[in-house]
């Protein structure tokens, strides 16, 4: 019953929006396949599960040389920094809306029709990169500023 309600709510809210869930680890995808609700996810025709290679993604970007020199490996926070790098690299190469997986969408995504935006933390000073949209050349420039 709950799955049906979820499916109906999601289909009603964003039926024309393609959702691409990216996996950097093949193990993450294998774990998802063993998840009880895996088949329910596949029932959504607008949800696409995609495995990608980080080194293919960063190829020919501002961050490629920095990573290949081993700087990410020397980070005190490699998981957090990897996640940030991937977010901004994706937005610099593929201008789109980015949402973390733990973001709950309560309204149609189409209401986020601004060309580019990023949200701020509660303090109003720091950028919260869980929800961002960078489009066009200006959006690419902003994403690249964060990568620098």
């Amino acid at each position: 019953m709950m799955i049906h309600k979820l499916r109906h709510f999601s289909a009603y809210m964003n039926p024309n929006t393609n959702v691409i869930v990216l996996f950097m680890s093949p193990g993450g995808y294998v774990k998802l396949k063993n998840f009880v609700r895996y088949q329910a996810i596949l029932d959504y025709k607008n949800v696409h599960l995609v495995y990608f290679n980080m080194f293919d993604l960063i190829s020919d970007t501002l961050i490629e040389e920095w990573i290949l020199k081993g700087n990410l490996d020397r980070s005190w926070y490699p998981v957090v920094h990897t996640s940030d790098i991937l977010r901004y690299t994706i937005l610099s190469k593929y201008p789109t809306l980015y949402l973390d997986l733990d973001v709950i969408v309560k309204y149609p995504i189409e209401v986020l029709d601004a060309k580019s935006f990023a949200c701020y933390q509660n303090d109003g000073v720091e950028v919260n990169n869980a929800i961002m949209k960078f489009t066009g050349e200006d959006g690419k420039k902003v994403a690249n500023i964060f990568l620098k």
Side-chain angles (χ1 to χ4, degrees), residues 83 87 98-105 128-132:
S83 180
R87 284 180 180 106
Y98 172 88
L99 303 171
D100 275 356
L101 282 175
D102 60 350
V103 171
I104 297 171
V105 178
N128 179 329
N129 58 15
I131 303 172
M132 299 181 291

Side-chain angles (χ1 to χ4, degrees), residues 45-70:
K45 299 303 178 206
N46 62 332
V47 175
H48 311 281
L49 307 175
V50 177
Y51 166 75
F52 73 98
N53 180 296
M54 182 172 129
F55 295 103
D56 291 341
L57 180 69
I58 65 163
S59 179
D60 298 323
T61 65
L62 293 174
I63 203 76
E64 179 181 26
E65 185 178 339
W66 185 85
I67 290 175
L68 293 177
K69 286 182 179 179

Side-chain angles (χ1 to χ4, degrees), residues 1-11 37 40 44 104:
M1 180 81 137
M2 183 60 153
I3 294 295
H4 174 71
K5 286 182 181 179
L6 269 168
R7 190 174 297 146
H8 175 72
F9 179 76
S10 178
R37 305 285 187 237
Y44 294 101
I104 297 171

Side-chain angles (χ1 to χ4, degrees), residues 3 6 10 32 39 42 60-61 81 92 96 103 107 113 124 130:
I3 294 295
L6 269 168
S10 178
L32 178 66
Q39 189 56 50
L42 294 180
D60 298 323
T61 65
H81 292 152
S92 73
T96 190
V103 171
Y107 302 99
D113 62 356

Side-chain angles (χ1 to χ4, degrees), residues 2-147:
M2 183 60 153
I3 294 295
H4 174 71
K5 286 182 181 179
L6 269 168
R7 190 174 297 146
H8 175 72
F9 179 76
S10 178
Y12 173 76
M13 295 306 290
N14 296 291
N16 299 319
T17 302
N18 280 316
V19 177
I20 300 171
V21 181
L22 298 173
F23 290 90
M24 191 170 78
S25 164
Y29 187 73
V30 169
K31 285 180 186 177
L32 178 66
K33 281 182 148 182
N34 295 326
F35 182 56
V36 176
R37 305 285 187 237
Y38 176 72
Q39 189 56 50
I41 294 169
L42 294 180
D43 287 345
Y44 294 101
K45 299 303 178 206
N46 62 332
V47 175
H48 311 281
L49 307 175
V50 177
Y51 166 75
F52 73 98
N53 180 296
M54 182 172 129
F55 295 103
D56 291 341
L57 180 69
I58 65 163
S59 179
D60 298 323
T61 65
L62 293 174
I63 203 76
E64 179 181 26
E65 185 178 339
W66 185 85
I67 290 175
L68 293 177
K69 286 182 179 179
N71 290 307
L72 184 58
D73 297 330
R74 291 189 288 277
S75 168
W76 286 7
Y77 307 101
V79 174
V80 172
H81 292 152
T82 299
S83 180
D84 289 343
I85 287 167
L86 294 175
R87 284 180 180 106
Y88 293 116
T89 302
I90 289 166
L91 288 169
S92 73
K93 290 182 104 170
Y94 310 102
T96 190
L97 172 66
Y98 172 88
L99 303 171
D100 275 356
L101 282 175
D102 60 350
V103 171
I104 297 171
V105 178
K106 293 174 58 175
Y107 302 99
I109 290 175
E110 288 82 12
V111 302
L112 301 173
D113 62 356
K115 291 187 180 196
S116 296
F117 67 85
C119 298
Y120 59 86
Q121 297 283 64
N122 293 338
D123 60 11
V125 176
E126 297 179 33
V127 173
N128 179 329
N129 58 15
I131 303 172
M132 299 181 291
K133 183 177 182 182
F134 297 148
T135 61
E137 284 304 310
D138 288 340
K140 185 175 182 171
K141 288 176 187 175
V142 172
N144 283 330
I145 287 169
F146 283 108
L147 286 171

